[in-house]
Amino acid sequence: MNSDDNFLLAINAIVSSRDLLVKSRDSELADITNTKVSLNNVAEMISTVTKGFYRVETDDFITGQSGAGQGD
Amino acid sequence: MDVAQSFSEYVLNEQNELEKMNIVRYLQKKMQEKNIYFFYDKSVLLKAELAKMFIEEMNIVEVDKNLVVTACLVMGCKKNNNPQDLTKVKMFAKESADFLRSDMFGFSDDFCNICEGYNRYSGVKRTRETDILELVDNFGGMLVHRYDRQGFSVQDALCLLKERNLKGLNNMYLDKFVQFVDKMEIETVNDSTIVKAETPYITHLAKVLNKVGDFDYE
C-alpha cells in the first residue's frame, strides 16, 4: 500500500466509526420507543381492567361519581 | 484552490472536518515535493476527531470548533517522530507555530499562538482553545501505537492524563474531558468485521486507526 492508500483508509476508518455510532444511537432510540409503546399498552390494559372493576363494584363510577364518601 | 486565496482562508473556510483533513494532506504532499518537512499522520487525525467530538458531545459553545479542529491538524507540523529527544520535544510547538506564521500560509497571529499553546513549553497565554488542544494532544497521542510502544487503552490513557501528564496543571476543561471520555466509553458500536462486537466508541476508533498503515512518508 502506498501512503495515499493509507491516508484514505484512515479517513475511511473515521467515517465508518461515525456511521457506526449513529447506527448504534438510532437503534438505542428505537429500543426506547418500543419500550414506551409496550408501557403504553400495559397502561391501557390496567386502565381497562380498572374501569371494568369499578363498573362491577359501583354504578356511580360510570356516572363519574365516587361511591365512597357519600355518607353511606 | 483559488490562487488569490491564502492557505489559511482555504482551510478555515472549509467547515467539513474530513475535507479539512484532505486539504492538509494535500499541503503535506506539496511540502514533500519541495523537501520541506511537514508532520501529519494518523495520530493527528485522531486528535482532530476527538476535539470535534468533545466540543459537539459536551456542547462547548464558547469555543470555535472550526478553529480548534483546524489547529489540531497543523499545530504539530514540525514535530518529529522521536519523542525520546526531550530537547526537541520542547521545541516542536514553537517551531510549528513559527512555520505557520510564515507568509506562505497567511495564518493570523492569534491562530498561531493557539497552535503554539498545545503544550506549555513556550509559555504562551492559556486560552480555552489551547486547553482543548492540550487535552486531545496528550490523550490522543497515548492511544496511538508508536515505534517504541503500543498504544495505551482508553482507561489507562485517561488515568495517565489526570495523574501524570496534566497533574498539577490548571486545564479548564480537564473535568469535562474526563466526563466526555467516560460518556463515550459507555456508548458501544458493533463492527464485528474489524474488532470484537460491542466495543466502546473511542476504543473502537483508536483500534481501527492503529490498524491502518502510516501515510507520513513519501
Side-chain angles (χ1 to χ4, degrees):
Chain A
M1 289 241 183
N2 66 30
S3 61
D4 283 337
D5 291 336
N6 286 337
F7 175 72
L8 290 176
L9 284 173
I11 293 289
N12 191 49
I14 293 171
V15 174
S16 59
S17 296
R18 284 185 188 178
D19 287 348
L20 285 172
L21 184 63
V22 170
K23 213 183 280 179
S24 162
R25 286 180 173 175
D26 283 350
S27 92
E28 207 168 289
L29 193 64
D31 285 349
I32 292 167
T33 311
N34 289 339
T35 308
K36 202 175 161 192
V37 168
S38 307
L39 286 174
N40 282 343
N41 290 344
V42 171
E44 207 173 300
M45 266 166 57
I46 291 170
S47 167
T48 309
V49 170
T50 313
K51 276 178 187 169
F53 172 76
Y54 276 115
R55 268 196 199 96
V56 172
E57 288 296 306
T58 165
D59 290 342
D60 289 344
F61 180 79
I62 298 164
T63 60
Q65 294 171 328
S66 170
Q70 298 290 313
D72 51 348
Chain B
M1 188 190 327
D2 180 352
V3 286
Q5 207 177 24
S6 68
F7 177 77
S8 69
E9 285 172 321
Y10 186 51
V11 72
L12 283 165
N13 285 343
E14 177 58 65
Q15 302 291 316
N16 182 304
E17 299 85 13
L18 297 168
E19 286 302 322
K20 257 185 217 299
M21 290 171 182
N22 268 325
I23 291 169
V24 179
R25 169 65 180 160
Y26 175 80
L27 176 68
Q28 181 191 36
K29 294 187 78 169
K30 284 287 157 199
M31 293 288 118
Q32 283 171 342
E33 280 171 21
K34 294 178 182 177
N35 283 323
I36 298 173
Y37 180 74
F38 191 96
F39 180 80
Y40 186 58
D41 75 350
K42 56 192 178 184
S43 73
V44 177
L45 303 186
L46 176 62
K47 290 168 188 178
E49 183 67 4
L50 286 171
K52 169 200 176 289
M53 294 211 68
F54 174 53
I55 293 168
E56 287 177 354
E57 295 290 328
M58 302 310 285
N59 198 24
I60 300 173
V61 293
E62 65 273 21
V63 298
D64 180 347
K65 180 182 75 173
N66 182 44
L67 189 147
V68 172
V69 172
T70 309
C72 257
L73 295 173
V74 296
M75 67 188 183
C77 62
K78 287 296 167 186
K79 181 177 174 181
N80 74 27
N81 257 333
N82 183 7
Q84 305 297 349
D85 187 346
L86 198 61
T87 328
K88 283 192 173 171
V89 168
K90 288 184 177 178
M91 296 303 294
F92 292 155
K94 175 94 176 86
E95 281 176 8
S96 303
D98 287 346
F99 182 66
L100 295 172
R101 278 189 188 97
S102 65
D103 291 341
M104 78 174 127
F105 300 117
F107 285 114
S108 70
D109 268 349
D110 281 349
F111 180 83
C112 296
N113 285 337
I114 287 169
C115 290
E116 192 170 336
Y118 85 81
N119 64 33
R120 300 190 181 220
Y121 293 120
S122 71
V124 291
K125 184 176 167 242
R126 304 306 303 166
T127 62
R128 292 186 175 95
E129 290 82 6
T130 59
D131 276 8
I132 293 177
L133 294 180
E134 181 178 51
L135 287 164
V136 295
D137 180 57
N138 278 279
F139 180 71
M142 285 190 276
L143 300 180
V144 178
H145 296 335
R146 282 193 333 212
Y147 75 92
D148 57 340
R149 61 141 175 82
Q150 292 282 298
F152 291 92
S153 72
V154 168
Q155 286 310 320
D156 286 352
L158 192 61
C159 182
L160 288 167
L161 182 76
K162 287 186 288 185
E163 303 301 330
R164 185 190 68 182
N165 296 26
L166 299 190
K167 192 175 171 68
L169 298 177
N170 183 21
N171 184 303
M172 64 188 99
Y173 288 110
L174 177 59
D175 291 343
K176 221 165 198 173
F177 192 77
V178 172
Q179 285 170 26
F180 158 71
V181 175
D182 286 341
K183 173 178 183 263
M184 298 311 291
E185 281 298 278
I186 293 169
E187 291 210 53
T188 57
V189 293
N190 192 337
D191 183 3
S192 53
T193 58
I194 300 176
V195 287
K196 70 174 180 182
E198 297 299 333
T199 312
Y201 182 70
I202 296 177
T203 300
H204 171 84
L205 185 61
K207 274 190 180 172
V208 289
L209 277 172
N210 273 324
K211 280 180 189 283
V212 174
D214 292 329
F215 58 84
D216 55 327
Y217 60 90
E218 182 59 11

